[in-house]
Every structure is written in structure tokens, then in C-alpha cells.
Amino acid sequence: MKSTRILFLIYSCIVLFVFLFAGCGPNEIIPPVEEKEDPYVTISYGKVTKTSATLYAQVFPYNNEVTIKLQYAISNSQDWTTYTFEEKVSGSDYVLKSYEIESLKPGTSYKFRALANDIATEEKIFNTIPIDKAKIIAYPPEKVTKT
């Protein structure tokens, strides 16, 4: 019984050591090892309001210099609005870029994508929050009785 506890403790220490010092937690993406010409890009969004949203592009540049652009449009349109980040990214680590877009239409579906060196990612969709509609509730007048 005591040896089982000791083995479990040793195993737990090894697992903890690997997660802490090998640089890969249980939910982290391990970047590919081989060098490539095209960067690896993932996109997401957050902080969506009635008229704004924040778009994110996470890029692994494979030690190449990469120009990142974010594009968005109303879902059924091909009229893309483009934002290009001023600085190029490079290196062998992930780089996270974000851009807050404003002046969006409330209650509207938008699509967005990232371009890394003009190679587009898949498109994703988000919806802005609709305008609150005032609820008017009419109650019939109460019957007044004499007492």
C-alpha cells in the first residue's frame, strides 16, 4: 500500500515536470516542428456588442516574415473591409494579433478571415447583439367599485 502511494507520487511529479518545463500544458497547441514557407494561422472573435467586435489572429510564422491582415464583411456580401497590421511578424513562437472593429450594424451576421502573406484562412461567423426592443404591456383598467 505504501509503495503504491510512492509510485503514484513519483508519477505525479513526472507529469507535473513535463507540463511545467516542457512548455506544453494540457490545453496548449504544440507548434509543428518542421519548417514551412506558409504560416500557420487560427482565428477567433470575442467581446461582441451591438456595434463592435474584437477579431483575433494567432500566427505561427515558421521563422519567416509574415504580413497579417484581418477582413470582415456582412455574411451574404463579398464586399470585404480589410485591416492590415503595421508591423510584420516573424520568429519561432506564436504571435497573437487583435483588432476591434466598430460601427457594425446591431443584430447582423458578419463573416471574417485572416490573411497571412495574402493566403486566406477559413471564414468564421459572429453575430452582433440586436437592439433591445421596448416592451409595451397594456393592462385593462381596474374596475372601481363603491364601498
Side-chain angles (χ1 to χ4, degrees), residues 48-52 103-108 110 128-132:
V48 178
T49 68
K50 293 176 189 173
T51 59
S52 68
S103 302
L104 301 176
K105 296 178 183 176
T108 305
Y110 286 87
T128 53
I129 298 171
I131 294 176
D132 296 333

Side-chain angles (χ1 to χ4, degrees), residues 3 5 21 31 36 80 84 87 89 92 97 99 105 113 118:
S3 63
R5 287 183 186 172
F21 298 107
K36 294 185 178 183
W80 293 96
T84 304
E87 71 279 356
V89 299
S92 60
K97 293 290 188 178
Y99 177 66
K105 296 178 183 176
R113 65 186 179 189
D118 293 323

Side-chain angles (χ1 to χ4, degrees), residues 67-136:
T67 301
I68 303 170
K69 298 176 185 177
L70 285 171
Q71 293 184 322
Y72 63 95
I74 293 177
S75 288
N76 58 0
S77 170
Q78 291 302 316
D79 188 20
W80 293 96
T81 300
T82 302
Y83 175 77
T84 304
F85 290 97
E86 296 279 329
E87 71 279 356
K88 294 182 178 188
V89 299
S90 63
S92 60
D93 211 0
Y94 278 104
V95 177
L96 180 65
K97 293 290 188 178
S98 66
Y99 177 66
E100 185 173 347
I101 52 176
E102 296 177 347
S103 302
L104 301 176
K105 296 178 183 176
T108 305
S109 182
Y110 286 87
K111 60 185 176 182
F112 73 103
R113 65 186 179 189
L115 285 86
N117 292 342
D118 293 323
I119 299 170
T121 63
E122 80 281 0
E123 295 174 8
K124 289 193 177 179
I125 295 177
F126 68 91
N127 297 305
T128 53
I129 298 171
I131 294 176
D132 296 333
K133 295 182 179 178
K135 293 183 180 179
I136 301 172

